[in-house]
Amino acid sequence: AHDRHPQPPPGRLRVAVMRDAFYADELHPDCLAAVDEAAALLRELGHEVVEARPAVPREPMVRAYFLTVAAGVARLVEEAAEAAGTRPRPADFEPATWLLALIGWKTSAAELVGAQQTMQRVARDVAAFFEKHDVLLSSTLGQPPARVGELAMQPKEKAQIAVLRTVPLKRLLDLALASMGGEKLRWTPNTQLFNQTGQPAMSVPLHWNAAGLPIGVQFAARMGDEATLFRLAAQLEEARPWADRLPPAARD
């Protein structure tokens, strides 16, 4: 047994539940079942549960997400090349990394500031939502856990990246949204928002699907209120312990 740091109970929380996704059109039935099961457990534990979610403009926030990540990746690629005493070369990096670096190098300072302003505006709206709700419950993923390699770039996408060094930013970004966004974001449609807005969030493996795979639910709280999340996590784990549960692959 490992040492545990006991958490005081979280008190009665007002929990908002969203049964859809921020950056995808729908959730897999397993993920929706996980949300519904968690909401029912919260009611059993005495929390107030309401169906509500902050309004988030999807397209501007997805674009802001990729521009911000790309700028950071471009600098990381430069630092890696500097450490190796060479110039950045596509052969030295994975195709997805190189695509993001290309977008970062083609992004102007003004465009990056615009992306930051978009995220700041939404962060204020999300903060206002948490003035009326203590916690937001959503699905962590939009789909059950992926198989190894299922999200990898396809050969056609890799070939496109190889000839894109002179392509304008918009076309590069469109390719990124097609290859790493759009369809790919349906796997992680709810986690990026809180990286962008700064609220603390946690994933809790409360639900298991018919294949024996853990299906996480995400809880987010107001800015700086990690304590509520830790206390809620302790209460949930006490009610539905999961430390001894393993998916089939982990038992093989």
Side-chain angles (χ1 to χ4, degrees):
H2 57 81
D3 292 335
R4 293 178 181 268
H5 298 284
Q7 293 285 339
R12 187 170 189 262
L13 302 174
R14 180 174 170 83
V15 181
V17 178
M18 58 177 284
R19 304 180 74 251
D20 57 355
F22 289 119
Y23 297 160
D25 291 331
E26 59 185 11
L27 296 175
H28 187 280
D30 287 351
C31 298
L32 186 57
V35 171
D36 290 341
E37 183 179 280
L41 176 58
L42 289 166
R43 290 189 184 95
E44 290 175 19
L45 293 171
H47 299 293
E48 179 187 2
V49 177
V50 297
E51 193 163 328
R53 54 159 290 176
V56 175
R58 183 192 302 182
E59 186 175 336
M61 284 292 277
V62 170
R63 180 182 175 87
Y65 167 74
F66 275 106
L67 288 179
T68 303
V69 170
V73 170
R75 183 55 198 148
L76 289 173
V77 166
E78 292 171 353
E79 290 173 354
E82 290 167 4
T86 185
R87 293 175 60 84
R89 298 176 304 177
D92 295 331
F93 299 92
E94 293 182 353
T97 302
W98 191 251
L99 173 58
L100 286 170
L102 286 174
I103 294 170
W105 290 323
K106 289 175 180 286
T107 300
S108 70
E111 287 168 324
L112 184 58
V113 169
Q116 293 169 341
Q117 289 174 336
T118 294
M119 293 186 293
Q120 289 164 356
R121 283 194 294 269
V122 173
R124 288 192 287 270
D125 292 341
V126 174
F129 178 85
F130 281 104
E131 289 298 310
K132 298 179 180 179
H133 307 87
D134 297 306
V135 174
L136 173 65
L137 164 65
S138 66
S139 177
T140 304
L141 298 179
Q143 304 290 316
R147 293 179 177 274
V148 174
E150 190 172 353
L151 303 182
M153 272 194 170
Q154 300 302 308
K156 179 181 177 182
E157 295 167 334
K158 295 179 181 179
Q160 288 177 313
I161 293 171
V163 296
L164 283 178
R165 275 175 280 185
T166 60
V167 168
L169 171 64
K170 185 181 184 304
R171 187 170 167 193
L172 270 179
L173 190 58
D174 288 344
L175 176 61
L177 292 175
S179 61
M180 290 181 288
E183 176 68 11
K184 295 290 194 299
L185 281 183
R186 75 186 182 93
W187 292 88
T188 55
N190 290 332
T191 55
Q192 289 93 345
L193 176 67
F194 299 108
N195 290 331
Q196 293 175 285
T197 63
Q199 280 80 13
M202 67 178 182
S203 180
V204 181
L206 287 177
H207 181 74
W208 295 69
N209 69 6
L213 297 174
I215 307 294
V217 288
Q218 178 177 254
F219 293 93
R222 60 178 58 91
M223 187 74 74
D225 193 18
E226 284 87 351
T228 290
L229 294 182
F230 282 123
R231 291 166 181 165
L232 179 59
Q235 183 185 52
L236 292 169
E237 185 171 7
E238 183 176 2
R240 298 280 172 83
W242 61 76
D244 296 330
R245 298 195 66 172
L246 292 173
R251 297 194 296 266
D252 293 341

